[in-house]
Amino acid sequence: MSFSRPINAPPHIQQLLSQLHQMSLEQEASFSKEGKMSSSDVLRDIEEEQPNNNPKENFDRFMRDKFIALDEDKCQFAYQLINAMGATNIVEAGTSFGVSTIYLALAVARTKAATGKPGVVIATENESEKAAIARKYWAQCGPEVEQEIELREGDLLETLKEGLPDIDLLLLDVWSTLSLSTLKTVLPRLRPGAVVLTDNTISGASGYADLLAYLRAPENGFQNMTLPFTNGFEMSVYRPQ
Ligand SMILES: C[S@@+](CC[C@H](N)C(=O)[O-])C[C@H]1O[C@@H](n2cnc3c(N)ncnc32)[C@H](O)[C@@H]1O
């Protein structure tokens, strides 16, 4: 069976994306028996193995060279959705080596051209080495990707506090423990009808307990659906009363 792929990009970008997804999957398979793990699983394993040896610091050190890129089909879905919504202002919480960011930038380039609206992909990363590698991959893609991205380096709970336009879509692909605070930081700038996408909400449900409770409380104004991608992908539409 052949599958259709929505991404409209020159061959060198398509090639780079395939290569980066492959590298990410191989790396994950090398440290996880299941092939894929949520950040809460990794932290739990480290806490169990070395409970008295600063697990948070060990977790950060372990994750420093890990891609953990958003799955290819989820990236393609985000690209499709941005095109369908005509979304032009995106926040990506958690950029790592910038794989999903490339899809967001390709989509925003198209929606800006189609709508004539301004727009930007606001990417976030607190590991400077990861940020430098992400910039290198975006440069390999070329200006059509690079020029759509504003990378905010540092703790996103600080870097997203100010200077956000009205946001059409928030991709929550950061450690689950940070997700609710991230949502609350961006929430004042989410436009009605904005979409929040959250990765791994089935496999990482326990780590996301506070976020999911918040999203699902009717008074907070989100309509939620867990999309049946591997490990779950939550799509939450913001419809405040
Ligand atoms: C799951 S990865 C993102 C993967 C990326 N979206 C992709 O598809 O390639 C999560 C990233 O969030 C970053 N991160 C964790 N805490 C952060 C914080 N407080 N501020 C900014 N970035 C953070 C991590 O360093 C990690 O690279």
Side-chain angles (χ1 to χ4, degrees):
M1 198 191 328
S2 73
F3 295 93
S4 50
R5 291 164 196 276
I7 311 303
N8 190 308
H12 76 282
I13 299 184
Q14 304 263 16
Q15 231 170 36
L16 177 66
L17 287 171
S18 302
Q19 200 186 324
L20 295 177
H21 281 296
Q22 187 63 30
M23 284 160 72
S24 180
L25 289 174
E26 282 172 9
Q27 190 185 46
E28 270 183 76
S30 73
F31 67 84
S32 152
K33 280 184 231 89
E34 293 82 21
K36 296 219 63 89
M37 272 181 121
S38 64
S39 58
S40 50
D41 292 335
V42 176
L43 182 57
R44 191 205 48 228
D45 287 355
I46 290 176
E47 280 169 344
E48 280 172 11
E49 279 164 27
Q50 313 159 18
N52 303 318
N53 189 16
N54 204 338
K56 173 75 179 69
E57 211 174 273
N58 288 334
F59 170 81
D60 285 343
R61 192 172 320 113
F62 179 75
M63 288 305 214
R64 203 156 282 151
D65 66 343
K66 304 293 181 292
F67 270 87
I68 28 178
L70 191 66
D71 292 335
E72 189 171 9
D73 53 358
K74 294 174 183 172
C75 288
Q76 291 174 353
F77 175 76
Y79 176 94
Q80 277 288 72
L81 183 62
I82 291 166
N83 275 281
M85 293 170 72
T88 57
N89 287 317
I90 315 287
V91 169
E92 178 185 61
T95 288
S96 188
F97 296 144
V99 180
S100 49
T101 332
I102 295 174
Y103 291 84
L104 304 179
L106 288 168
V108 161
R110 285 173 72 81
T111 52
K112 280 169 65 179
T115 62
K117 288 200 244 163
V120 65
V121 177
I122 298 175
T124 55
E125 182 50 59
N126 64 345
E127 297 288 350
S128 54
E129 286 170 27
K130 285 187 145 186
I133 293 170
R135 286 188 203 280
K136 191 188 78 181
Y137 291 137
W138 301 336
Q140 281 179 36
C141 293
E144 105 176 68
V145 162
E146 249 183 328
Q147 71 193 8
E148 305 301 343
I149 303 169
E150 174 192 325
L151 175 58
R152 298 191 181 183
E153 284 191 51
D155 179 359
L156 55 75
L157 297 181
E158 293 302 320
T159 62
L160 293 179
K161 264 186 188 161
E162 282 175 9
L164 293 184
D166 286 342
I167 297 301
D168 300 305
L169 186 138
L170 166 65
L171 173 60
L172 279 176
D173 193 20
V174 72
W175 311 149
S176 52
T177 47
L178 269 180
S179 295
L180 180 57
S181 336
T182 306
L183 174 65
K184 286 184 174 172
T185 304
V186 178
L187 194 58
R189 304 302 309 163
L190 280 189
R191 69 152 168 90
V195 170
V196 179
L197 293 174
T198 311
D199 194 24
N200 291 335
T201 48
I202 295 176
S203 60
S206 60
Y208 281 127
D210 59 348
L211 174 81
L212 294 176
Y214 185 90
L215 286 171
R216 290 168 185 172
E219 66 274 19
N220 293 327
F222 287 93
Q223 281 169 213
N224 305 284
M225 183 174 181
T226 308
L227 304 177
F229 289 93
T230 306
N231 295 331
F233 198 36
E234 200 77 5
M235 176 174 168
S236 308
V237 182
Y238 188 45
R239 283 277 165 222
Q241 294 306 307

